[in-house]
Amino acid sequence: MADTKVYQASTTAPVNIAVVKYWGKRDPKLNLPTNSSLSVTLSQSDLRTHTTAACSSTFGPEDTLLLNSSPQDVSGARTQACFRELRTLRSALEASNASLPKLASLPLRIVSENNFPTAAGLASSAAGFAALVRAIANLYELPSSPTELSRIARQGSGSACRSLFGGYVAWEMGANEDGSDSVAVEVAPASHWPTMRALILVVSAEKKGVSSTSGMQITVATSELSKHRFAVVVPKHMEAMKKAIQEKDFETFGKVTMVESNSFHATCLDTFPPIFYMNDVSKAAIRAVEDINTRAGKIIAAYTFDAGPNAVIYYEEENTDAVAGAVKGVLGELDGWEGKEVKVQDTKAIDAKAVQALKDGVSRVILTSVGEGPIRTQDSLISTIGEPIRK
Amino acid sequence: MADTKVYQASTTAPVNIAVVKYWGKRDPKLNLPTNSSLSVTLSQSDLRTHTTAACSSTFGPEDTLLLNSSPQDVSGARTQACFRELRTLRSALEASNASLPKLASLPLRIVSENNFPTAAGLASSAAGFAALVRAIANLYELPSSPTELSRIARQGSGSACRSLFGGYVAWEMGANEDGSDSVAVEVAPASHWPTMRALILVVSAEKKGVSSTSGMQITVATSELSKHRFAVVVPKHMEAMKKAIQEKDFETFGKVTMVESNSFHATCLDTFPPIFYMNDVSKAAIRAVEDINTRAGKIIAAYTFDAGPNAVIYYEEENTDAVAGAVKGVLGELDGWEGKEVKVQDTKAIDAKAVQALKDGVSRVILTSVGEGPIRTQDSLISTIGEPIRK
């Protein structure tokens, strides 16, 4: 009798926000980067992708992926690479143990939900591919370590490899041509420095103009300054950042985070034609952070910007009021402050023009913190008969 | 009997807009740059400083400078350096020819007028110091060449050295510690490539936030990427630009101009804290130029930005309608088009958001062209008895 069972497994996976940025591929097919990078994994209480992977002989014949109820194209080389690599690992397991069900050959049905807007510069593809790889690895009961899985997730979306760990995570660029050593490793678990907080100012939820994938290729092809960034700047920043995290030295962490973000956006501007991800609202966020630090007399807040205008501001829990409270003084009317204990501070310290630009341009805030890596869950997005469940 | 005569001489001097940018001093006292630079001198019909230098035993005891009717501080090291160097040259003349009047020891009275807003990023200090040095050199009847005078003007304001020539001008950084070889030279006279036009979009006439002088020092001190710019990027651009000018190759001239401007602003962004001179209106100007070039199928327009948000768009006369006409389609209501023959083009080719940002953010336009160096004039700003004349 044919096996018509619906096999399934679910996971959640986190967003990560880099403090040393990935921008540039030395091998676009394998997603091998021109430089190492380092990120903080954010708490899944606030930002996560939830994914259920299922397989069954009753599905198919095609693999499918539903994201926030919309069918996604899975025929692209990146998604196919992830499926193929995971199936290869499952096949090896099945070959070594004849009692295992033959899942590798079955069509996959993946259902995914983000609790945040897709493609708004909130690293949704990182959480998405990390969840996809982790969910299928769970479904296939692979014994692979997070670092081993990171090699696969990297092929889906470079920065996804870092979302397979919690806490503070490095993606070591590696040297091998086949990408076997281009993987994520834990720099420190969230528990090592649990007081790290992040305040995200969502500047625009519009889809961005230049995709990261094509943008970074043009940077590599045209930016003279990016050569120096890859060869000299990033290696320095990686070393300084790892040390700052080991020592829980926020001033260094913050300084390097800000300089790094600026260096990355400088190479975007040095691209031809130039790429602008930050806008005048982003600049107002930078000014606000500078003014908050000036008032504190030291670096207690650090901005960073990915490939979009949203500001992510890192700070330590003890400075919640001085940092998030000062921003709340400006943006207290917006969604995102509910349920978070933040005492409003006066905004006198912040430049009046920056205050106005933030009021005009920020649409919501997200308050979160360093968090854990992917978490297996019994909460499924696919029913026992294989139908997607709307949440 | 004491000589109470008022000696005087007048000149006008042009603005120059660099296509390879000066940003960074290796010696702040002597204004010795970290890299060579290259500029186009703009026509004095549209933008100029007019300066009269006078000296008399009836003046004083202090040297004075009136700019647009406002007394200026001349005690600063930069102005003092210019006065001192010019007096030294005059003293040598007087020593070698006893019949010459003893002007070097007399108090100076300088009166200057700009026909454009001061310190709005329109290179007013370049025209100002070039006019000051040229006017005093005229007053002292110095036989010095423009290159010799450029060594003096450079000490007043770096880019002023380039305003001592018309046409296409290089400031060779030099290697000597005393700055004796850090001077301006003519790359080509205006007559070599007289069809070069410039359209300036004045985005803001406010005084800028970070002065060039302090901004470039912070860049040198903090920007890692600037090291690569000084050592590798600028030398390449200087060579390419000189060749493009010799060959009147606008596509190369335009490409290098745009890449250069972006490289300079990238190092400003890589400065810590970051320096932003371009704003969202500047970015809209970049987009408009990109769209105009896309429509033309080649580079017929090139943007460049100095230490401020104003866009300067270079183009050739034959493309006046395609470039300036397209901008006039957007900004035809503004001041600055009067008396210039520009046929309005439809604006369909230009991104709608960029059109709106330009309409909202540009306050006036200036249409001008490549022009001549300082021109001696009998039109004086000081009366025969030494009083300033209001024009």
Side-chain angles (χ1 to χ4, degrees):
Chain A
M1 198 183 83
D3 178 2
T4 59
K5 182 174 168 189
V6 173
Y7 295 87
Q8 62 162 267
S10 298
T11 192
T12 58
V15 163
N16 71 76
I17 299 289
V19 289
V20 178
K21 303 293 190 189
Y22 159 50
W23 193 259
K25 301 178 205 272
R26 68 179 195 274
D27 181 328
K29 206 177 151 211
L30 290 171
N31 268 355
L32 299 181
T34 50
N35 59 262
S36 297
S37 54
L38 199 152
S39 56
V40 179
T41 296
L42 299 184
S43 170
Q44 297 176 58
S45 316
D46 304 299
L47 297 167
R48 53 127 194 84
T49 296
H50 178 190
T51 296
T52 298
C55 60
S56 169
S57 62
T58 65
F59 295 170
E62 305 294 330
D63 300 326
T64 61
L65 169 59
L66 214 59
L67 171 62
N68 293 337
S69 306
S70 298
Q72 305 292 305
D73 180 13
V74 295
S75 68
R78 296 151 146 242
T79 310
Q80 285 298 312
C82 292
F83 287 174
R84 187 175 57 246
E85 295 260 9
L86 291 159
R87 281 190 163 114
T88 300
L89 293 175
R90 173 67 189 183
S91 296
L93 275 189
E94 292 170 5
S96 67
N97 181 348
S99 73
L100 292 176
K102 302 286 180 286
L103 304 188
S105 58
L106 297 179
L108 284 160
R109 182 171 291 173
I110 321 279
V111 179
S112 231
E113 283 184 1
N114 291 336
N115 64 349
F116 54 88
T118 304
L122 278 172
S124 56
S125 69
F129 272 103
L132 178 135
V133 168
R134 185 72 261 182
I136 299 174
N138 291 351
L139 171 68
Y140 289 171
E141 296 183 330
L142 302 179
S144 312
S145 70
T147 287
E148 287 166 332
L149 293 180
S150 78
R151 191 185 51 77
I152 300 175
R154 184 203 78 224
Q155 296 173 63
S157 171
S159 56
C161 71
R162 297 187 311 245
S163 275
L164 285 161
F165 289 90
Y168 304 84
V169 189
W171 172 11
E172 301 293 355
M173 63 181 289
N176 297 347
E177 273 190 34
D178 66 357
S180 52
D181 59 348
S182 187
V183 293
V185 295
E186 183 185 271
V187 172
S191 59
H192 165 72
W193 197 1
T195 51
M196 184 65 73
R197 297 289 175 270
L199 167 60
I200 305 175
L201 308 185
V202 179
V203 169
S204 164
E206 287 176 49
K207 280 231 176 195
K208 60 198 179 197
V210 182
S211 80
S212 307
T213 304
S214 72
M216 65 174 75
Q217 288 308 94
I218 308 171
T219 299
V220 172
T222 66
S223 168
E224 268 293 326
L225 296 179
S226 73
K227 296 175 189 170
H228 192 67
R229 170 169 164 79
F230 302 148
V232 177
V233 176
V234 172
K236 272 190 200 174
H237 288 170
M238 284 295 291
E239 199 177 333
M241 190 58 86
K242 286 177 183 174
K243 187 160 176 281
I245 290 167
Q246 293 309 341
E247 297 174 356
K248 294 181 260 185
D249 167 4
F250 189 87
E251 289 212 57
T252 303
F253 172 91
K255 171 88 185 282
V256 176
T257 294
M258 294 186 280
V259 168
E260 234 312 290
S261 175
N262 295 337
S263 165
F264 152 49
H265 289 279
T267 62
C268 290
L269 174 48
D270 190 53
T271 299
F272 192 78
I275 303 171
F276 297 98
Y277 287 119
M278 291 195 284
N279 62 20
D280 285 352
V281 183
S282 314
K283 288 184 221 166
I286 289 178
R287 180 60 192 263
V289 167
E290 290 172 349
D291 291 345
I292 286 167
N293 287 334
T294 299
R295 172 151 73 176
K298 61 179 181 175
I299 293 174
I300 61 169
Y303 54 78
T304 186
F305 297 83
D306 278 353
N310 298 338
V312 177
I313 302 172
Y314 284 114
Y315 59 96
E316 288 184 286
E317 186 181 25
E318 62 182 15
N319 294 313
T320 296
D321 296 342
V323 180
V327 174
K328 195 176 182 181
V330 179
L331 300 173
E333 317 262 291
L334 296 181
D335 284 347
W337 300 103
E338 321 81 54
K340 309 277 180 175
E341 205 170 314
V342 179
K343 277 207 202 77
V344 174
Q345 303 292 298
D346 72 79
T347 58
K348 276 183 303 192
I350 303 176
D351 176 71
K353 278 188 191 167
V355 165
Q356 195 54 52
L358 292 171
K359 280 179 187 287
D360 292 344
V362 178
S363 58
R364 65 163 290 139
V365 304
I366 297 166
L367 281 150
T368 186
S369 57
V370 62
E372 304 301 329
I375 299 166
R376 192 168 188 140
T377 173
Q378 297 308 314
D379 188 7
S380 176
L381 298 170
I382 297 181
S383 74
T384 51
I385 58 160
E387 295 300 314
I389 299 169
R390 294 289 292 269
K391 292 274 167 176
Chain B
M1 200 182 79
D3 178 3
T4 59
K5 182 175 169 189
V6 173
Y7 296 87
Q8 61 162 268
S10 297
T11 192
T12 59
V15 163
N16 71 77
I17 299 289
V19 290
V20 177
K21 302 293 188 186
Y22 159 50
W23 193 258
K25 301 177 205 271
R26 67 179 197 274
D27 181 326
K29 204 176 153 211
L30 289 171
N31 269 355
L32 299 181
T34 51
N35 59 261
S36 297
S37 55
L38 198 152
S39 56
V40 179
T41 296
L42 299 185
S43 169
Q44 297 177 58
S45 316
D46 303 298
L47 297 167
R48 53 126 194 84
T49 297
H50 178 190
T51 296
T52 298
C55 60
S56 169
S57 63
T58 65
F59 295 169
E62 305 294 329
D63 301 325
T64 60
L65 169 59
L66 215 57
L67 170 62
N68 293 339
S69 304
S70 298
Q72 305 291 306
D73 180 13
V74 294
S75 68
R78 295 151 144 242
T79 310
Q80 285 298 313
C82 293
F83 287 173
R84 187 176 57 247
E85 295 261 8
L86 291 159
R87 281 188 164 116
T88 300
L89 292 175
R90 173 68 190 182
S91 295
L93 275 190
E94 291 170 7
S96 68
N97 181 350
S99 73
L100 291 176
K102 300 285 179 287
L103 304 188
S105 58
L106 297 179
L108 284 160
R109 181 170 293 175
I110 322 279
V111 178
S112 230
E113 283 184 1
N114 291 336
N115 63 348
F116 54 89
T118 304
L122 279 172
S124 57
S125 69
F129 273 103
L132 178 135
V133 169
R134 184 73 261 181
I136 299 173
N138 291 349
L139 171 69
Y140 287 172
E141 296 181 332
L142 302 179
S144 312
S145 70
T147 288
E148 287 166 328
L149 293 181
S150 78
R151 191 185 53 75
I152 299 175
R154 184 202 78 225
Q155 297 172 63
S157 171
S159 55
C161 72
R162 296 187 311 245
S163 276
L164 285 163
F165 288 91
Y168 304 84
V169 189
W171 172 11
E172 302 293 356
M173 64 181 289
N176 297 347
E177 274 190 33
D178 66 357
S180 52
D181 59 349
S182 187
V183 294
V185 295
E186 183 185 89
V187 172
S191 59
H192 165 72
W193 198 1
T195 51
M196 184 66 72
R197 297 289 175 271
L199 167 60
I200 305 175
L201 308 185
V202 179
V203 169
S204 164
E206 286 176 48
K207 279 230 176 197
K208 59 197 179 197
V210 182
S211 79
S212 306
T213 303
S214 72
M216 65 175 76
Q217 287 308 92
I218 308 172
T219 298
V220 172
T222 66
S223 167
E224 269 293 327
L225 297 179
S226 74
K227 295 175 189 168
H228 192 67
R229 171 170 163 77
F230 303 148
V232 177
V233 176
V234 171
K236 272 189 202 175
H237 287 170
M238 284 297 289
E239 199 177 331
M241 189 58 86
K242 285 177 185 175
K243 187 159 175 283
I245 290 166
Q246 292 310 340
E247 298 174 357
K248 295 180 259 185
D249 167 3
F250 189 87
E251 288 212 58
T252 303
F253 173 90
K255 171 88 185 282
V256 177
T257 294
M258 294 188 278
V259 169
E260 234 313 290
S261 176
N262 295 336
S263 165
F264 152 49
H265 290 278
T267 62
C268 290
L269 173 47
D270 190 53
T271 299
F272 192 80
I275 303 171
F276 297 98
Y277 288 119
M278 290 195 284
N279 62 20
D280 285 351
V281 183
S282 313
K283 289 183 219 166
I286 288 178
R287 179 61 193 262
V289 168
E290 289 172 349
D291 291 345
I292 286 167
N293 287 335
T294 299
R295 171 151 74 176
K298 61 179 182 175
I299 293 175
I300 61 169
Y303 54 78
T304 186
F305 297 83
D306 277 353
N310 298 339
V312 177
I313 302 172
Y314 284 114
Y315 58 96
E316 287 184 286
E317 185 181 27
E318 62 182 15
N319 294 312
T320 295
D321 295 341
V323 179
V327 174
K328 194 176 182 181
V330 179
L331 301 174
E333 318 262 290
L334 297 181
D335 284 347
W337 301 103
E338 320 82 55
K340 308 279 178 174
E341 206 169 314
V342 180
K343 277 206 202 77
V344 174
Q345 303 292 297
D346 72 79
T347 59
K348 278 183 301 192
I350 303 176
D351 178 71
K353 279 188 191 166
V355 166
Q356 195 53 54
L358 291 171
K359 280 179 188 288
D360 291 345
V362 177
S363 59
R364 66 163 289 138
V365 305
I366 297 166
L367 280 150
T368 186
S369 58
V370 61
E372 304 301 329
I375 299 166
R376 192 168 190 139
T377 174
Q378 298 307 314
D379 188 7
S380 176
L381 298 171
I382 296 180
S383 74
T384 51
I385 58 161
E387 294 301 312
I389 298 170
R390 293 290 290 269
K391 291 275 168 174

